[in-house]
Every structure is written in structure tokens, then in C-alpha cells.
């Protein structure tokens, strides 16, 4: 079975802090994704990576950056956390190409106070 | 730009009933359509993936269909159980990236 894990289930940070969210997949998938999920807005893509050190902006990249130094690990970075970044963050992975299923991690509920 | 809509937003049914969840999309160039289940506060669990060359997929009590010409997909759940209570999301895309609907919250009453 594909397994996607995220470093924390719950996280509370203060405004202005630098925040790292980590995602690891164990199925040698080329593609990895970061989404945020908010009530009434659904899932929105923040960033996408299709290979090591390769990244592409999604629909809402402002205020975020990403890092993919190894194939299995994709990190989301909030350089200076703000209260409007309080959300559920979901990581996903898939094989390369457009025909493949996306598999999701358990999510990280981030609260910025 | 692809838009995905799910109707109804919420649905409550008695246990044992067969039900259909609907998903509409605006761009017929969609390449695949994926259905997910999400329990409260949890991540998404993939249920079924239908590729554009397919018309339906089945897994246990679940059957999903895809009609690209009409821009619609349906998820059929047979003999619903209280354990099926969750939010069901559909997502489609023409590339690696998926566009998600906002989901249908299903409650199956015992």
C-alpha cells in the first residue's frame, strides 16, 4: 500500500514564525503536491513538484515556498506565518503522468495565533 | 478553466438505501476523474479512479461512472451503512493536477 506521512497532525505557531511542514512518501512517486483545505473553498493547490528540485506554482503560492531535495520528501515552508494561513494542509503523491491516482497523507491542522 | 461542482452539498439517508452522488465538470478535456472519501479532520482516501477511456469503475458496493460528453460523473453507493458517513469529494484534471469539488457530506442514519 502507498503510504504518505506528514510530520505533524496538529501544529500551533505564532504570527511571524517560520514553519516547516514535511511530507514523505514511500512508493517512489515522481509527483508530490501540497494543498490547503478551508471550509467553503475546498482543496486548493499551493505547489506541485514533478521531480527532485523541480517545482511549479499552484493556484495559491503566495506566502509559501517548497523544497524537494530527495524524491521521497516534499517540504512546505511558511516563511513568516500569518493568521490567514490557519488551515488544514494536505500532502499528496502520484506516479508521473496524468493518468495516475493521487494518494493523500493524514493532513496537518495548522493554527497561527 | 476547469470547475468541478458537487450536488447536493449534504445528504441524509436511512441505512440500507442505495444512493447517488453527483459531480459536474466544465471542461470535457478532463483526463481522469477521481472519487475520494474524507472523514472529519482526516486526509483523503482514494475510492475510485476513472480514466477518460473508461466509462465506469467498481469497487465493492461502490460504482463510479464518467460521461465526458455531458460533463458528469456519479458515485453510486449500494446498501448504505452508517460507516459510509463521510464527505465525498470528486476531482478531475487534464494534467497531473486535479481540480476538486467542494464535496457532499453524507450521513447514513442507523
Amino acid at each position: 500500500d502507498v503510504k504518505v506521512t506528514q510530520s505533524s497532525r496538529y501544529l500551533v505557531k505564532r504570527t511571524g514564525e517560520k514553519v516547516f511542514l514535511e511530507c514523505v512518501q514511500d512508493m517512489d512517486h515522481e509527483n508530490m503536491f501540497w494543498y490547503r483545505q478551508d471550509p467553503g473553498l475546498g482543496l486548493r493547490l499551493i505547489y506541485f513538484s514533478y521531480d527532485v528540485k523541480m517545482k511549479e506554482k499552484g493556484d495559491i503560492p503566495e506566502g509559501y515556498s517548497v523544497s524537494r531535495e530527495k524524491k521521497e520528501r516534499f517540504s512546505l515552508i511558511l516563511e513568516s506565518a500569518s493568521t490567514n494561513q490557519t488551515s488544514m494542509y494536505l500532502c499528496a503523491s502520484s506516479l508521473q503522468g496524468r493518468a495516475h491516482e493521487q494518494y493523500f497523507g493524514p493532513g496537518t491542522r495548522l493554527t497561527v495565533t | 478553466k476547469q470547475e468541478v461542482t458537487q450536488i447536493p452539498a449534504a445528504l441524509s439517508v436511512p441505512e440500507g438505501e442505495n444512493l447517488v452522488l453527483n459531480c459536474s465538470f466544465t471542461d470535457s478535456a478532463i483526463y481522469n476523474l477521481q472519487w475520494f472519501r474524507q472523514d472529519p479532520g482526516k486526509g483523503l482516501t482514494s475510492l475510485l479512479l476513472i480514466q477518460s477511456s473508461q466509462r465506469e469503475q467498481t469497487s465493492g458496493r461502490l460504482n463510479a461512472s464518467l460521461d465526458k460528453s455531458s460533463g458528469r460523473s456519479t458515485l453510486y453507493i449500494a446498501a448504505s451503512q452508517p460507516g459510509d458517513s463521510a464527505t465525498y469529494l470528486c476531482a478531475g484534471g487534464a494534467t497531473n493536477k486535479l481540480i476538486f469539488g467542494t464535496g457532499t457530506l453524507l450521513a447514513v442514519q442507523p
Side-chain angles (χ1 to χ4, degrees), chain B residues 19 25 30 42 48 66 71-72 74 80 82 84 97 106-107 110:
Chain B
L19 60 100
F25 46 90
I30 196 167
K42 302 285 180 66
L48 290 163
L66 175 63
R72 294 181 63 181
T74 60
S80 58
D84 294 330
K97 293 177 275 191
L106 173 65

PDB file of all heavy atoms in Angstrom, chain B residues 19 25 30 42 48 66 71-72 74 80 82 84 97 106-107 110:
ATOM      1  N   LEU B  19     -27.809   5.013  -3.015  1.00  0.00           N
ATOM      2  CA  LEU B  19     -27.771   6.453  -3.255  1.00  0.00           C
ATOM      3  C   LEU B  19     -26.771   6.808  -4.345  1.00  0.00           C
ATOM      4  O   LEU B  19     -25.871   6.030  -4.660  1.00  0.00           O
ATOM      5  CB  LEU B  19     -27.447   7.197  -1.950  1.00  0.00           C
ATOM      6  CG  LEU B  19     -26.115   6.854  -1.303  1.00  0.00           C
ATOM      7  CD1 LEU B  19     -25.086   7.919  -1.640  1.00  0.00           C
ATOM      8  CD2 LEU B  19     -26.257   6.739   0.212  1.00  0.00           C
ATOM      9  N   PHE B  25     -18.445  18.737 -14.235  1.00  0.00           N
ATOM     10  CA  PHE B  25     -17.228  19.465 -14.567  1.00  0.00           C
ATOM     11  C   PHE B  25     -17.442  20.207 -15.880  1.00  0.00           C
ATOM     12  O   PHE B  25     -18.253  19.796 -16.721  1.00  0.00           O
ATOM     13  CB  PHE B  25     -16.003  18.548 -14.629  1.00  0.00           C
ATOM     14  CG  PHE B  25     -16.225  17.277 -15.406  1.00  0.00           C
ATOM     15  CD1 PHE B  25     -15.961  17.231 -16.761  1.00  0.00           C
ATOM     16  CD2 PHE B  25     -16.690  16.138 -14.777  1.00  0.00           C
ATOM     17  CE1 PHE B  25     -16.157  16.065 -17.476  1.00  0.00           C
ATOM     18  CE2 PHE B  25     -16.898  14.970 -15.480  1.00  0.00           C
ATOM     19  CZ  PHE B  25     -16.636  14.929 -16.836  1.00  0.00           C
ATOM     20  N   ILE B  30     -11.139  16.740 -19.669  1.00  0.00           N
ATOM     21  CA  ILE B  30     -10.708  16.039 -18.461  1.00  0.00           C
ATOM     22  C   ILE B  30     -10.077  14.695 -18.825  1.00  0.00           C
ATOM     23  O   ILE B  30     -10.554  14.002 -19.714  1.00  0.00           O
ATOM     24  CB  ILE B  30     -11.934  15.835 -17.538  1.00  0.00           C
ATOM     25  CG1 ILE B  30     -11.518  15.480 -16.136  1.00  0.00           C
ATOM     26  CG2 ILE B  30     -12.905  14.821 -18.094  1.00  0.00           C
ATOM     27  CD1 ILE B  30     -12.672  15.584 -15.158  1.00  0.00           C
ATOM     28  N   LYS B  42      -9.554  14.342   8.906  1.00  0.00           N
ATOM     29  CA  LYS B  42      -8.581  13.392   8.352  1.00  0.00           C
ATOM     30  C   LYS B  42      -8.211  13.744   6.925  1.00  0.00           C
ATOM     31  O   LYS B  42      -8.786  14.659   6.316  1.00  0.00           O
ATOM     32  CB  LYS B  42      -9.178  11.977   8.389  1.00  0.00           C
ATOM     33  CG  LYS B  42      -9.595  11.503   9.770  1.00  0.00           C
ATOM     34  CD  LYS B  42      -8.404  11.125  10.607  1.00  0.00           C
ATOM     35  CE  LYS B  42      -8.804  10.656  11.997  1.00  0.00           C
ATOM     36  NZ  LYS B  42      -9.571   9.396  11.971  1.00  0.00           N
ATOM     37  N   LEU B  48     -12.024   5.539  -6.036  1.00  0.00           N
ATOM     38  CA  LEU B  48     -12.052   5.046  -7.409  1.00  0.00           C
ATOM     39  C   LEU B  48     -11.430   6.085  -8.333  1.00  0.00           C
ATOM     40  O   LEU B  48     -11.591   7.285  -8.125  1.00  0.00           O
ATOM     41  CB  LEU B  48     -13.494   4.782  -7.872  1.00  0.00           C
ATOM     42  CG  LEU B  48     -14.209   3.599  -7.227  1.00  0.00           C
ATOM     43  CD1 LEU B  48     -15.713   3.693  -7.455  1.00  0.00           C
ATOM     44  CD2 LEU B  48     -13.677   2.287  -7.778  1.00  0.00           C
ATOM     45  N   LEU B  66     -18.427   7.804 -15.599  1.00  0.00           N
ATOM     46  CA  LEU B  66     -17.921   9.042 -16.183  1.00  0.00           C
ATOM     47  C   LEU B  66     -18.531   9.222 -17.559  1.00  0.00           C
ATOM     48  O   LEU B  66     -18.439   8.331 -18.408  1.00  0.00           O
ATOM     49  CB  LEU B  66     -16.394   9.003 -16.291  1.00  0.00           C
ATOM     50  CG  LEU B  66     -15.715  10.186 -16.985  1.00  0.00           C
ATOM     51  CD1 LEU B  66     -15.952  11.479 -16.213  1.00  0.00           C
ATOM     52  CD2 LEU B  66     -14.213   9.932 -17.148  1.00  0.00           C
ATOM     53  N   GLY B  71     -20.288  16.049 -19.208  1.00  0.00           N
ATOM     54  CA  GLY B  71     -19.555  16.680 -18.111  1.00  0.00           C
ATOM     55  C   GLY B  71     -20.011  16.199 -16.746  1.00  0.00           C
ATOM     56  O   GLY B  71     -20.106  17.002 -15.811  1.00  0.00           O
ATOM     57  N   ARG B  72     -20.303  14.900 -16.628  1.00  0.00           N
ATOM     58  CA  ARG B  72     -20.833  14.401 -15.370  1.00  0.00           C
ATOM     59  C   ARG B  72     -20.176  13.095 -14.949  1.00  0.00           C
ATOM     60  O   ARG B  72     -19.819  12.256 -15.777  1.00  0.00           O
ATOM     61  CB  ARG B  72     -22.334  14.178 -15.489  1.00  0.00           C
ATOM     62  CG  ARG B  72     -23.130  15.443 -15.685  1.00  0.00           C
ATOM     63  CD  ARG B  72     -24.604  15.142 -15.778  1.00  0.00           C
ATOM     64  NE  ARG B  72     -25.096  14.552 -14.528  1.00  0.00           N
ATOM     65  CZ  ARG B  72     -26.349  14.171 -14.348  1.00  0.00           C
ATOM     66  NH1 ARG B  72     -27.211  14.278 -15.310  1.00  0.00           N
ATOM     67  NH2 ARG B  72     -26.727  13.653 -13.198  1.00  0.00           N
ATOM     68  N   THR B  74     -20.918  10.149 -11.633  1.00  0.00           N
ATOM     69  CA  THR B  74     -21.740   9.785 -10.488  1.00  0.00           C
ATOM     70  C   THR B  74     -21.033   8.706  -9.675  1.00  0.00           C
ATOM     71  O   THR B  74     -20.305   7.871 -10.236  1.00  0.00           O
ATOM     72  CB  THR B  74     -23.121   9.267 -10.914  1.00  0.00           C
ATOM     73  OG1 THR B  74     -22.947   8.106 -11.727  1.00  0.00           O
ATOM     74  CG2 THR B  74     -23.906  10.314 -11.689  1.00  0.00           C
ATOM     75  N   SER B  80     -26.354   1.334   1.676  1.00  0.00           N
ATOM     76  CA  SER B  80     -25.545   2.224   2.524  1.00  0.00           C
ATOM     77  C   SER B  80     -25.544   1.768   3.981  1.00  0.00           C
ATOM     78  O   SER B  80     -26.511   1.172   4.487  1.00  0.00           O
ATOM     79  CB  SER B  80     -26.052   3.658   2.410  1.00  0.00           C
ATOM     80  OG  SER B  80     -27.404   3.733   2.790  1.00  0.00           O
ATOM     81  N   PRO B  82     -24.034   2.963   8.145  1.00  0.00           N
ATOM     82  CA  PRO B  82     -23.596   4.127   8.941  1.00  0.00           C
ATOM     83  C   PRO B  82     -22.115   4.432   8.774  1.00  0.00           C
ATOM     84  O   PRO B  82     -21.704   5.590   8.823  1.00  0.00           O
ATOM     85  CB  PRO B  82     -23.943   3.699  10.369  1.00  0.00           C
ATOM     86  CG  PRO B  82     -25.116   2.793  10.208  1.00  0.00           C
ATOM     87  CD  PRO B  82     -24.837   2.025   8.942  1.00  0.00           C
ATOM     88  N   ASP B  84     -20.510   4.480   6.167  1.00  0.00           N
ATOM     89  CA  ASP B  84     -20.280   5.232   4.928  1.00  0.00           C
ATOM     90  C   ASP B  84     -20.385   6.743   5.168  1.00  0.00           C
ATOM     91  O   ASP B  84     -20.089   7.530   4.265  1.00  0.00           O
ATOM     92  CB  ASP B  84     -21.317   4.839   3.858  1.00  0.00           C
ATOM     93  CG  ASP B  84     -21.172   3.399   3.402  1.00  0.00           C
ATOM     94  OD1 ASP B  84     -20.038   2.875   3.417  1.00  0.00           O
ATOM     95  OD2 ASP B  84     -22.198   2.795   3.047  1.00  0.00           O
ATOM     96  N   LYS B  97      -2.412  17.776 -12.414  1.00  0.00           N
ATOM     97  CA  LYS B  97      -3.066  18.471 -11.312  1.00  0.00           C
ATOM     98  C   LYS B  97      -4.571  18.249 -11.331  1.00  0.00           C
ATOM     99  O   LYS B  97      -5.197  18.279 -12.392  1.00  0.00           O
ATOM    100  CB  LYS B  97      -2.750  19.969 -11.395  1.00  0.00           C
ATOM    101  CG  LYS B  97      -1.276  20.265 -11.147  1.00  0.00           C
ATOM    102  CD  LYS B  97      -0.966  21.731 -11.299  1.00  0.00           C
ATOM    103  CE  LYS B  97      -0.699  22.075 -12.746  1.00  0.00           C
ATOM    104  NZ  LYS B  97      -0.149  23.449 -12.867  1.00  0.00           N
ATOM    105  N   LEU B 106     -22.257  13.180   3.521  1.00  0.00           N
ATOM    106  CA  LEU B 106     -23.235  12.104   3.588  1.00  0.00           C
ATOM    107  C   LEU B 106     -23.402  11.627   5.027  1.00  0.00           C
ATOM    108  O   LEU B 106     -22.408  11.352   5.711  1.00  0.00           O
ATOM    109  CB  LEU B 106     -22.792  10.923   2.717  1.00  0.00           C
ATOM    110  CG  LEU B 106     -23.626   9.647   2.815  1.00  0.00           C
ATOM    111  CD1 LEU B 106     -25.042   9.894   2.287  1.00  0.00           C
ATOM    112  CD2 LEU B 106     -22.965   8.500   2.058  1.00  0.00           C
ATOM    113  N   ALA B 107     -24.640  11.533   5.460  1.00  0.00           N
ATOM    114  CA  ALA B 107     -24.952  10.956   6.767  1.00  0.00           C
ATOM    115  C   ALA B 107     -25.897   9.789   6.545  1.00  0.00           C
ATOM    116  O   ALA B 107     -26.959   9.957   5.940  1.00  0.00           O
ATOM    117  CB  ALA B 107     -25.596  11.998   7.678  1.00  0.00           C
ATOM    118  N   PRO B 110     -28.700   5.113  11.220  1.00  0.00           N
ATOM    119  CA  PRO B 110     -28.965   3.703  11.570  1.00  0.00           C
ATOM    120  C   PRO B 110     -30.458   3.453  11.786  1.00  0.00           C
ATOM    121  O   PRO B 110     -31.222   4.360  12.079  1.00  0.00           O
ATOM    122  CB  PRO B 110     -28.191   3.485  12.873  1.00  0.00           C
ATOM    123  CG  PRO B 110     -27.667   4.801  13.290  1.00  0.00           C
ATOM    124  CD  PRO B 110     -27.920   5.823  12.236  1.00  0.00           C
TER     125      PRO B 110
END
